[in-house]
Amino acid sequence: MEDIEDLLVGDSAAAPPGFRLPITAAVGINPIKKKNKSIKLEPSSLLQNSSTYQVPGTQTIFLKTFGCSHNQSDSEYMAGQLSAFGYAISDNAEGADLWLINTCTVKSPSQSAMDTLISKCKSAKKPLVVAGCVPQGSRDLKELEGVSVVGVQQIDRVVEVVEETLKGHEVRLLNRKTLPALDLPKVRKNKFVEILPINVGCLGACTYCKTKHARGHLGSYTVDSLVGRVKSVVNDGVKEIWLSSEDTGAYGRDIGVNLPILLNAIVTALPTNGSTMLRIGMTNPPYILEHLKEIAEILCHPCVYSFLHVPVQSGSDAILTAMHREYTVGEFRKVVDTLTELVPGMQIATDIICGFPGETDEDAAQTVDLIKDYKFSQVHISQFYPRPGTPAARMKKVPSNIVKKRSRELTSVFESFTPYDGMEGNIERIWITDIATDEIHLVGHTKGYVQVLVVGPESLLGSSAIVKITSVGRWSVFGDVIEILDDRNGVTSPSDEKDTSIKEKCVEDTCGCSSTKPEPCACESDACEPNGCNIAENDSHPEDQNGRNVEGLLLRKKPSRPMVELEDNGNQKLANVRDRDWGLLDTVLVGGIFMSLLMIVVIVLYVGS
């Protein structure tokens, strides 16, 4: 299945991100001055000639993102800066003046997709800039010859790179420097979700991981800078904040703080009514073992999702040692057992790599037993991909037919679980931030980050609601909205009288968002989202045509679909409204018409007499 925290639908088949927000939604627009002395310029016959160069800031840029949520955040920052300088960001490759590809090096398929895209760009003779982990971790790739590149810590200079590339120059900015500022302009893929990188790099040395080559050693942002960013995005209307990094649990160890210190500081900056939620990113077991109780306490906070992505990768200690994962299966079990015991409704996602070099049938069986024991609702199952330059690439490989067989068996075991069976009939609070791919349902999440699909108007996006779970599917649950919560007044108690049923428009496992089984992947970084449905299409409501005369204006009927009403206490509720109730304005208008007609009759009678 797909990466649990991935914003993209998939590496090779995903639609390019649609940056539809106006630049006014960006945060902290600070134009960047050009620093040509620090740019290495090389002539390139593959790029357009300078004679065709246009005024900077008038071109259209096609932006394609591969990989994890950290990469997505980088793309949003690059899009924000380019938009601030006047460039148009598009998902139409054909009509773009320049292509910008943000790459991922976690697994071979994503890099292969990048290679294909680069070949298409060169064939179309389009100027090209390649960003992300591939050029940073593999500088001498043949595919990058004659191509401008920008490194993971140079994204704040993307405007310079684009401008020089459009002039026909080849630009290479890969030297590491200080971390990019958090207050750069940003255009979010989803205006309600802020992906907040808390650190780059990690402290691990996994034998299969290529990301370390690109992101490097651990570098953490300060607590003050992160809390400041949180306050800024909350004021900007963000409803979910995703903490992202290559290993969230390692945060702060390079600057003398730790993850619990950061999390406690962030939750104090969140609205007390729970209108904005915090989601903690991927955390490897070694770095949270000493903070389990503190992490559990934070996960119980009403403004924090009771969800954590903890990769195990294998159920065999022998394989974990070969991977250099620095923990045992027993320690992973301790993490899961402790959090499950201390946090009500706790949901844990994990990752498995099938067919790591040296894996025996017994090792694979131990992995299956681990998954059976816990019946995780989210598991990413992927086959081992040898990455060039990593120690695992030199190890003796398991035959590919055996790897595929083990992957199928484990997937079959995982899909036999029905993790949400006990939820039917539950009353839950959800936070609604997206529209499902079927364009019928809105996508919300419970505090345990279980995906809930509801029917309602697009105006509910960015709100929280009380719902009743009506049915469950394999990847999602379905619910009816009972009550919309007013952020100003905080949580209100659901009432049985307000339980207005909304007719379900798709049955279990027929929704375009949740019925299709995600593809397997091999993500190790903070790259996943549970059952993510991130298509945000317009859900425009047809206008009522019965309103072209006075009678129609006053007595017209509204569409028979869920509508939002205000209650006496200032809260909102969802109801199926057919005839509009008369208000004071209606009474005044009708009274005025009546008085006018009466005056006309009096005048006519007077003149006649």
Side-chain angles (χ1 to χ4, degrees), residues 378 526 549:
Q378 302 293 333
D526 175 27
N549 52 51

Side-chain angles (χ1 to χ4, degrees), residues 554-607:
L554 297 178
L555 303 179
R556 64 177 178 168
K557 295 181 178 180
K558 291 191 175 182
S560 58
R561 62 178 297 162
M563 303 293 290
V564 176
E565 293 183 316
L566 286 178
E567 296 179 333
D568 293 338
N569 60 4
N571 294 325
Q572 290 179 313
K573 68 177 181 179
L574 201 69
N576 288 328
V577 181
R578 187 67 187 177
D579 293 321
R580 182 168 66 88
D581 295 334
W582 280 41
L584 178 61
L585 179 61
D586 300 314
T587 305
V588 171
L589 287 173
V590 173
I593 293 172
F594 178 77
M595 292 300 296
S596 298
L597 292 174
L598 183 61
M599 288 297 295
I600 292 172
V601 171
V602 171
I603 292 172
V604 170
L605 292 175
Y606 176 78
V607 172

Side-chain angles (χ1 to χ4, degrees), residues 68 126 216 251 443:
C68 66
K126 298 275 189 179
Y251 168 79
V443 180

